[in-house]
Amino acid sequence: VRQAQLGQLTANHAKLVTLISHFGSCAASLSEGETWVRSTTVEVLVYEGIQLGIFDFDFAPQSRQVHHSGLTRRLYMNISQEGSGAVEDILEWRLIRSLKMLSKGHHLITAYQITEEGRAYVSKVDKQQVEEVARIAFAPSPYHLQLVDVEFSGKQFLITTPSGYTRTSDITDAEDVSYVTSPYIPASLRVPQSEILQSNKDRAEEATSGVNNKRGVTSEELYLSTVHMLTASYMPLNTNAVGALSSLLGAHHPVRIGHTLAAETHTDETTSAASVHFKVGLSRARVLDWEAGNFLNLQTDVHFPESQGII
């Protein structure tokens, strides 16, 4: 039965196990140390492998939290769902194991390590596949004897080696297509007789005149109409925090004109300056309805910088 399960592994699975074996290895004896590779590092290296044609996976932009220098920021990364599924497969088949760690900021981090079974499996992987994976795991000549490291600069991911090789990964350069959406909040979460959400239905035709900046050729495309989409994120806020947020956004003000928001701006460093400089891409939030200490409904206009022609 075990051999039959391993027989279901594809070339992508074999390369993925081989890749992880370079960075996360279990100890062969009590005198040896163990290494684990972070899940974010695997995602970056899988993306690099897709770009080189080594992995036959697709990818799409996804919002991810990245922890760096004690700070947490959210950014878009080109993540392969097929690659993530392949990781789950080799976990299920016990070729790798996972480790859960907590950062100083109490953020959960996942890491992977090859098992003894995985090590035995890698020893039987086709030589050509092993050589292909080496193009991802090792730096190019003259640094080809050194494993690469994946570092986060605070804005971008860098592929580096101890001897000085550095290259910027474009995993954070998210592809985009033209689209038009309208805000949506279920009626069960609204206050009766409250303000109606803005509708952009009359602007839907604008998306057809826009362009996209997809770098690859897609084999599947879906065209959807009249779709309701809900996304949720758990934010542990107590009554005082909800009250402070309501006050900050002007919920108590008799005229709710909305407020412009800016993220990742170090205003404390320029307290003595006459003006504060911002990057393009501000957002605007306006309170729709609220209940003191209980909930707050917002309508937000998010203005991300886009490439020319994208709507």
Side-chain angles (χ1 to χ4, degrees), residues 237-248:
L237 297 178
N238 56 31
T239 301
N240 291 335
V242 174
L245 182 62
S246 301
S247 178
L248 177 67

Side-chain angles (χ1 to χ4, degrees), residues 68-243:
H68 175 69
S69 301
L71 300 175
T72 300
R73 64 167 296 186
R74 185 172 288 276
L75 73 165
Y76 282 96
M77 298 172 57
N78 292 318
I79 301 297
S80 172
Q81 290 297 329
E82 294 173 321
S84 299
V87 170
E88 295 294 330
D89 291 340
I90 58 180
L91 271 171
E92 180 182 354
W93 289 324
R94 301 191 297 276
L95 298 178
I96 64 171
R97 59 172 65 95
S98 64
L99 172 70
K100 299 296 182 180
M101 304 178 291
L102 281 177
S103 67
K104 291 182 179 179
H106 305 288
H107 296 287
L108 191 63
I109 300 173
T110 303
Y112 304 112
Q113 177 192 81
I114 194 170
T115 62
E116 289 291 345
E117 291 176 295
R119 186 178 293 174
Y121 175 79
V122 169
S123 66
K124 301 176 183 178
V125 172
D126 183 76
K127 182 180 179 181
Q128 181 180 348
Q129 294 176 345
V130 173
E131 292 175 350
E132 290 179 351
V133 172
R135 295 172 56 197
I136 312 172
F138 293 88
S141 181
Y143 310 94
H144 57 282
L145 298 180
Q146 295 182 332
L147 282 173
V148 299
D149 192 11
V150 176
E151 301 178 0
F152 185 62
S153 67
K155 295 181 179 180
Q156 297 172 312
F157 286 93
L158 304 176
I159 312 295
T160 66
T161 64
S163 60
Y165 172 78
T166 301
R167 177 174 61 83
T168 301
S169 173
D170 61 355
I171 190 172
T172 55
D173 296 340
E175 298 176 341
D176 204 354
V177 298
S178 296
Y179 65 93
V180 174
T181 63
S182 298
Y184 171 71
I185 302 176
S188 59
L189 301 179
R190 299 296 309 277
V191 172
Q193 312 300 323
S194 57
E195 180 182 347
I196 299 176
L197 289 167
Q198 176 181 330
S199 174
N200 295 321
K201 185 177 180 179
D202 58 338
R203 300 186 57 189
E205 292 184 0
E206 294 181 26
T208 61
S209 62
V211 299
N212 67 72
N213 60 1
K214 293 186 294 183
R215 294 189 289 271
V217 178
T218 54
S219 58
E220 297 177 358
E221 292 189 1
L222 298 178
Y223 294 87
L224 306 176
S225 177
T226 318
V227 177
H228 286 166
M229 182 178 69
L230 289 175
T231 59
S233 179
Y234 176 65
M235 299 176 63
L237 297 178
N238 56 31
T239 301
N240 291 335
V242 174

